[in-house]
């Protein structure tokens, strides 16, 4: 990821109504605002479309009428939007919004693995850079990973990366043996199974639902495991009145809206220091703010750009994923 100056939010006139300005600029720029469920509530509320990684990649690909895609999520998501719809101007409110998984699987290390294991079919979770995607045979998200694994020729050994927790979950779910890249999400790996077990005991009428980026000992306690959109659908459709929600805290905002009668308890995490370095809020997702969204729409910066050759190589494994129904 490029190192860049943070957006200059101090330059914003404090008397501006930023929500009105965002609406004005959205129309003027013919922009569509896409947001992930882990964004702050204010951002979720100004978005044109909210979704999980797969929904948002499809929304970006299908954004025919917009000139600009303002992506409220993290860098790999905005990069994906540019790859699948290169004619659009794609802006990310803060270019520093990265992802621990993407950081842990740089393209040169993956190339080295491939050189040593030329038979492996490389399935990469979408949480990786464009350069890493360009090395993959196919991409998946947590919504479609089992279907993607099922599409891999039976005679090929699989490397799954960068999330070893999602990978371990998929081995159980699909029965397919895979080598796992040793990456993990810095947010989901802080969730404490001991504290979750205590919370379950205190709320015996609650179900525990979890994202597959959680570690195995946490998933072992779950009544349901799924991507963000599947967790949301589960809370809406299931009859239970109470849920302990094992994923990033931003999704509670949308869950409360769509399942207003349900009681939602955020997952307890392990405080790793007194200052809490472990937390259920993603520090990367939370870099985006309403102020930075306003600046991004006003200035059409910071933009996601990449060489055409890289974009085209990264598009192939994404298109293979998007062709799977
Ligand atoms: P979903 O695709 O389930 O939304 O997961 C996204 C993600 O990993 C962001 O952390
Ligand atoms: Fe990456 Fe984890 Fe943040 Fe998702 S929650 S963007 S996987 S660091």
């Amino acid at each position: 990821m490029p190192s860049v100056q943070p957006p200059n939010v101090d330059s914003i006139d404090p008397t501006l109504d930023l929500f009105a300005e965002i609406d004005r600029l959205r129309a003027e720029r013919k922009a569509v605002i896409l947001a992930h469920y882990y964004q702050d509530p204010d951002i979720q509320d100004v978005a044109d479309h909210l979704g999980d990684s797969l929904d948002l990649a499809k929304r970006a690909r299908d954004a025919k009428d917009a000139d600009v895609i303002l992506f409220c999520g993290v860098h790999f998501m905005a990069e994906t939007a540019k790859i699948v719809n290169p004619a659009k101007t794609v802006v990310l409110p803060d270019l520093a919004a990265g992802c621990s998984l993407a950081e842990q699987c740089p393209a040169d290390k993956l190339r080295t693995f491939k050189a040593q294991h030329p038979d492996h079919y490389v399935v990469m979770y979408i949480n990786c850079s464009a350069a890493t995607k360009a090395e993959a045979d196919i991409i998946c998200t947590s919504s479609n990973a089992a279907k993607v694994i099922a599409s891999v020729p039976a005679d090929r050994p699989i490397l799954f990366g960068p999330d070893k927790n999602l990978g371990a979950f998929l081995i159980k779910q699909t029965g397919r043996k895979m080598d796992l890249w040793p990456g993990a999400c810095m947010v989901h790996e802080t969730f404490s199974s001991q504290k979750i077990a205590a919370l379950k005991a205190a709320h015996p009428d609650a179900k525990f639902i979890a994202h597959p980026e959680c570690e195995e000992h946490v998933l072992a306690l779950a009544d349901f495991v799924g991507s963000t959109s599947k967790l949301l659908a589960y809370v809406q459709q299931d009859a239970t009145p109470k849920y302990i929600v094992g994923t990033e805290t931003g999704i509670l905002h949308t869950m409360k809206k769509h399942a207003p009668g349900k009681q939602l308890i955020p997952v307890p995490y392990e405080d790793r220091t007194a200052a809490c370095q472990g937390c259920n809020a993603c520090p990367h997702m939370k870099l985006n703010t309403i102020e930075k969204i306003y600046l991004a729409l006003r200035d059409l910066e910071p933009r996601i750009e990449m060489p055409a050759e890289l974009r085209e190589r990264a598009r192939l494994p994404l298109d293979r994923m998007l062709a799977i129904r």
Side-chain angles (χ1 to χ4, degrees), residues 2-317:
S3 71
V4 280
Q5 293 285 75
N8 185 7
V9 291
D10 294 338
S11 67
I12 300 173
D13 172 354
T15 64
L16 277 183
D17 175 346
L18 291 183
F19 294 97
E21 284 297 303
I22 288 169
D23 280 340
R24 181 181 66 76
L25 288 163
R26 170 183 2 223
E28 208 172 286
R29 304 281 191 226
K30 287 184 79 183
V32 63
I33 303 182
L34 305 182
H36 189 265
Y37 294 121
Y38 294 167
Q39 294 293 282
D40 274 337
D42 274 356
I43 299 179
Q44 294 191 37
D45 291 347
V46 299
D48 295 298
H49 303 291
L50 263 179
D52 69 6
S53 309
L54 182 62
D55 300 327
L56 295 174
K58 289 179 180 167
R59 287 281 184 190
R61 179 198 58 189
D62 299 339
K64 305 266 187 291
D65 297 332
D67 293 339
V68 173
I69 298 171
L70 175 74
F71 208 107
C72 302
V74 291
H75 193 269
F76 76 80
M77 295 179 173
E79 248 184 2
T80 301
K82 185 69 185 177
I83 293 165
V84 297
N85 203 342
K88 307 295 170 184
T89 298
V90 177
V91 282
L92 178 67
D94 192 326
L95 272 190
C99 170
S100 65
L101 281 167
E103 274 163 32
Q104 289 162 13
C105 189
D108 57 336
K109 289 214 170 112
L110 181 53
R111 265 195 300 276
T112 305
F113 178 95
K114 283 172 56 179
Q116 290 162 354
H117 304 85
D119 289 349
H120 276 61
Y121 197 89
V122 177
V123 182
M124 277 286 132
Y125 191 30
I126 199 164
N127 297 40
C128 63
S129 68
T132 297
K133 285 185 177 75
E135 299 297 328
D137 290 298
I138 193 162
I139 302 300
C140 74
T141 76
S142 49
S143 270
N144 63 12
K147 280 189 195 164
V148 169
I149 301 292
S151 77
V152 178
D155 59 339
R156 294 286 299 275
I158 298 176
L159 170 71
F160 184 88
D163 188 349
K164 64 178 179 314
N165 296 318
L166 174 59
F169 174 72
L170 289 167
I171 289 173
K172 278 197 179 151
Q173 202 185 27
T174 65
R176 190 85 188 248
K177 200 179 152 295
M178 302 193 286
D179 289 313
L180 302 180
W181 194 268
C185 163
M186 62 190 288
V187 179
H188 291 83
E189 72 175 351
T190 65
F191 299 170
S192 157
S193 48
Q194 274 201 325
K195 290 185 181 177
I196 292 164
L199 203 56
K200 277 173 69 119
H203 299 275
D205 53 339
K207 279 188 178 168
F208 172 51
I209 58 172
H211 195 281
E213 288 174 12
C214 295
E215 291 172 335
E216 200 170 346
H217 59 102
V218 168
L219 294 181
L221 298 173
D223 298 291
F224 178 74
V225 177
S227 63
T228 51
S229 56
K230 289 189 178 163
L231 296 177
L232 176 62
Y234 188 79
V235 168
Q236 287 175 264
Q237 288 155 16
D238 184 64
T240 308
K242 211 190 257 191
Y243 300 86
I244 300 164
V245 182
T247 193
E248 210 269 359
T249 179
I251 199 167
L252 269 73
H253 176 67
T254 289
M255 278 183 178
K256 279 179 199 149
K257 272 195 186 170
H258 290 282
K262 304 286 174 83
Q263 192 183 333
L264 305 170
I265 307 171
V267 74
Y269 47 86
E270 196 61 69
D271 288 0
R272 301 219 163 153
T273 69
C276 183
Q277 287 181 356
C279 179
N280 61 4
C282 172
H284 295 290
M285 288 279 181
K286 280 7 187 198
L287 279 177
N288 295 326
T289 61
I290 289 294
E291 287 79 2
K292 292 177 195 173
I293 289 171
Y294 161 71
L295 289 177
L297 276 177
R298 190 192 69 185
D299 303 338
L300 294 184
E301 294 286 351
R303 289 185 197 196
I304 302 289
E305 307 280 9
M306 72 195 82
E309 173 272 334
L310 169 61
R311 205 182 65 221
E312 279 154 24
R313 282 196 302 127
R315 178 150 193 169
L316 269 177

